Amino acid sequence: MGLLVRNGEMVTVGSRKRADIYAENETVTRIGKNLETPPGTAIIDATGKLVFPGFIDPHVHIYLPFMATFAKDTHETASIAALIGGTTTYIEMCCPNRTDDALAGYELWKSKANGKSACDYAFHMSVTKFCAETESQLREIVADGTSSFKIFLAYKNFFGVDDGEMYQTLTLAKKLGVIVTAHCENAELVSRLQVQLVAEGKTGPEWHEPSRPESVEAEGTGRFATFLENTGATGYVVHLSCERALNAALAAKERGVRLSVEAVLPHLLLDKSFAERPGVEGMKHVMSPPLRAKQNQDVLWNALSRGVVDTVGTDHCPFDVEQKLLGKDAFTNIPNGIPGIEDRVNLLYSFGVQKGRIDLDRFVNIASTHAAKLFGLFPRKGTIEVGSDADLVVFDTNYRGIVSAKTQHVNNDYNGFEGMPIEGRPSVVTVRGKVQVRDGEFVGERGRGRLLKREPAYF
Ligand code: URP
Ligand code: ZN
Ligand code: ZN
């Protein structure tokens, strides 16, 4: 059965027009005015609403063994939460640790998501060590359609790689045409500063930021860029949080280094005073890189509006209150991460577009299109064209609400953005032509999501 989204204002990068959109067999087949449709077509009236391509979250954690525990979501809960918030595709970090076999890890992550995700998804494959089997295993993973890697310069002895391993990963990535995403903090400095602070009795969550200061992130960002420059590989800095790191990235971009930059929701909307709240309230806001001094938020918003920060993800990483309390005696044991998969689009629209920080064109680009282009999903995802997957978000700009753990669908007992006002939300969300969400409720088919195969593109 066909689907017609009628009379909405269709917003894609570089274009805004009133149109009907008709989808059949999972894809958009016609776009135009007053389209005739066959009997039996399901009709969604989008009059007075915006219609966006499905949004893409390029950085989430769902299955994640980390810091002596596991992130709380399943692919079912996270994908339903994503869809309710307008995200129709997510890219999950597949993160086996240094002692795990990479290929076995990849198969494990796939098995966790398979048949469970309600929306489409892909993986960034983390390279957490480089040993004798690594090259052949990564070749197999790329051949399977996972054409982006992830490295961590942080998290010494767990996910972190040393400079030699980074060099080997980037050299192989260049050969395979694969983009490498990177968490850029200097692991050695973080671990030394952590030991020093704890020895001084500075154990509360307010000491998390001083243990990973801006200089530590700027160093990691600059070093990653230098390695890209000398290997010819293409890179993407994940969750860049502050002006000093941004300057390092921009200097590299100006030298011609092939580097893109991601901001994430927490760094745009929360500052380090949230992590300085007493007790568990502070712990809820511990992530890495940490929440920063407030002035960095304007820097990031500005960079987004100028187009020098390329995408906005969430770094969705849900640990509940009980898990956060693992760090009650030392901030070094607080599981790092803040959830956000459900709130990204609404908060980015509310605090970005509605507050005049970014225009609609930048909004759709940073929340959908650019990620699709960088990660080999475009034009199947990230736009509305004849032939694109019919992932559509009919967006009601008149909706007013409040973010709250009480109403969220993410599997967690707190929300880091609690109490923030929402000015606009999806009223209908489709995945490949099937309505999955109506007015904040999941009404669709669980397990509908597919693993997206992606071709290498950066030779
Ligand atoms: O604090 C964070 N960001 N947790 C998830 C792991 C990572 O570094 O992305
Ligand atoms: Zn990270
Ligand atoms: Zn992450």
Side-chain angles (χ1 to χ4, degrees):
M1 187 176 72
L3 173 84
L4 180 74
V5 176
R6 188 165 61 193
N7 200 33
E9 190 171 347
M10 187 178 102
V11 184
T12 56
V13 171
S15 162
R16 200 169 156 179
K17 62 181 180 203
R18 193 158 305 288
D20 295 349
I21 303 162
Y22 182 71
E24 230 175 354
N25 300 326
E26 306 199 343
T27 58
V28 174
T29 54
R30 282 185 291 152
I31 300 171
K33 288 240 158 74
N34 305 318
L35 294 181
E36 297 284 328
T37 58
T41 298
I43 295 178
I44 293 164
D45 183 5
T47 305
K49 305 216 168 63
L50 302 176
V51 183
F52 294 110
F55 293 100
I56 299 172
D57 191 336
H59 181 169
V60 310
H61 302 271
I62 298 173
Y63 175 67
L64 182 68
F66 185 43
M67 297 189 73
T69 188
F70 292 82
K72 290 301 281 192
D73 267 319
T74 62
H75 290 83
E76 184 168 318
T77 56
S79 62
I80 287 174
L83 281 168
I84 287 170
T87 291
T88 55
T89 299
Y90 57 80
I91 311 183
E92 183 184 2
M93 301 293 173
C94 171
C95 290
N97 76 45
R98 276 183 86 80
T99 56
D100 294 334
D101 179 77
L103 194 54
Y106 180 62
E107 293 304 333
L108 175 64
W109 257 260
K110 276 179 32 173
S111 73
K112 295 278 177 193
N114 188 26
K116 296 287 190 298
S117 182
C119 63
D120 290 347
Y121 59 96
F123 295 108
H124 298 301
M125 182 64 209
S126 296
V127 183
T128 51
K129 63 171 177 278
F130 208 102
C131 61
E133 301 79 46
T134 303
E135 174 160 348
S136 63
Q137 293 193 336
L138 291 176
R139 283 181 182 276
E140 200 171 326
I141 289 165
V142 172
D144 191 49
T146 289
S147 62
S148 49
F149 295 159
K150 168 75 182 286
I151 55 173
F152 292 88
L153 309 193
Y155 308 130
K156 196 177 167 186
N157 300 330
F158 195 73
F159 293 145
V161 289
D162 63 25
D163 283 357
E165 291 168 318
M166 168 157 62
Y167 180 83
Q168 288 173 292
T169 306
L170 295 181
T171 304
L172 178 63
K174 168 74 183 160
K175 267 194 257 170
L176 299 181
V178 163
I179 188 169
V180 180
T181 71
H183 175 139
C184 297
E185 291 179 296
N186 185 304
E188 189 61 39
L189 279 169
V190 171
S191 103
R192 300 280 171 174
L193 289 169
Q194 285 180 331
V195 169
Q196 187 184 320
L197 288 164
V198 170
E200 289 168 2
K202 295 170 174 167
T203 56
E206 70 275 23
W207 296 104
H208 177 69
E209 199 276 342
S211 77
R212 340 172 68 100
E214 293 180 20
S215 55
V216 161
E217 188 184 345
E219 190 282 335
T221 306
R223 182 159 39 99
F224 177 53
T226 304
F227 275 65
L228 291 172
E229 194 170 3
N230 286 282
T231 55
T234 302
Y236 174 96
V237 177
V238 299
H239 52 36
L240 183 139
S241 74
C242 62
E243 184 166 19
R244 285 187 68 169
L246 180 64
N247 289 340
L250 294 187
K253 281 191 184 208
E254 273 165 31
R255 302 197 294 277
V257 178
R258 298 201 297 182
L259 177 69
S260 301
V261 176
E262 171 195 272
V264 291
L265 199 61
H267 296 133
L268 290 167
L269 297 182
L270 306 168
D271 62 72
K272 67 179 186 170
S273 68
F274 284 81
E276 289 165 353
R277 292 175 174 181
V280 78
E281 287 309 311
M283 296 178 201
K284 289 175 182 175
H285 295 96
V286 165
M287 66 173 290
S288 297
L291 300 180
R292 298 296 189 191
K294 199 166 177 51
Q295 63 263 29
N296 288 291
Q297 291 176 3
D298 279 346
V299 172
L300 293 177
W301 281 109
N302 253 319
L304 277 170
S305 109
R306 287 190 293 130
V308 293
V309 167
D310 301 276
T311 61
V312 175
T314 54
D315 198 8
H316 176 74
C317 192
F319 295 108
D320 67 12
V321 165
E322 191 185 344
Q323 292 172 306
K324 289 283 182 184
L325 284 168
L326 291 169
K328 64 182 182 336
D329 297 325
F331 70 86
T332 49
N333 296 327
I334 303 168
N336 287 200
I338 302 177
I341 200 167
E342 189 166 349
D343 304 309
R344 178 184 67 123
V345 171
N346 294 346
L347 285 172
L348 196 57
Y349 184 83
S350 304
F351 286 84
V353 179
Q354 294 278 34
K355 292 212 181 304
R357 286 168 163 146
I358 50 172
D359 62 22
L360 264 188
D361 194 72
R362 282 301 292 150
F363 171 69
V364 70
N365 207 351
I366 61 184
S368 179
T369 313
H370 205 113
K373 288 182 174 166
L374 287 171
F375 297 118
L377 294 168
F378 189 84
R380 179 172 174 193
K381 307 288 189 189
T383 191
I384 306 171
E385 286 174 22
V386 170
S388 299
D389 282 357
D391 297 352
L392 303 171
V393 177
V394 179
F395 198 82
D396 177 3
T397 58
N398 293 318
Y399 176 82
R400 296 292 177 267
I402 302 279
V403 173
S404 176
K406 291 198 186 82
T407 48
Q408 73 186 2
H409 299 80
V410 164
N411 184 25
N412 207 342
D413 54 5
Y414 82 95
N415 188 309
F417 306 94
E418 185 73 33
M420 289 194 176
I422 292 296
E423 299 182 1
R425 77 162 184 193
S427 57
V428 174
V429 180
T430 71
V431 173
R432 284 179 277 105
K434 179 162 179 40
V435 174
Q436 294 285 73
V437 168
R438 272 188 200 275
D439 298 322
E441 293 302 326
F442 182 73
V443 294
E445 181 187 333
R446 288 163 200 265
R448 177 170 173 75
R450 287 193 198 132
L451 173 60
L452 299 165
K453 307 277 179 186
R454 300 175 292 129
E455 292 293 324
Y458 297 99
F459 295 95

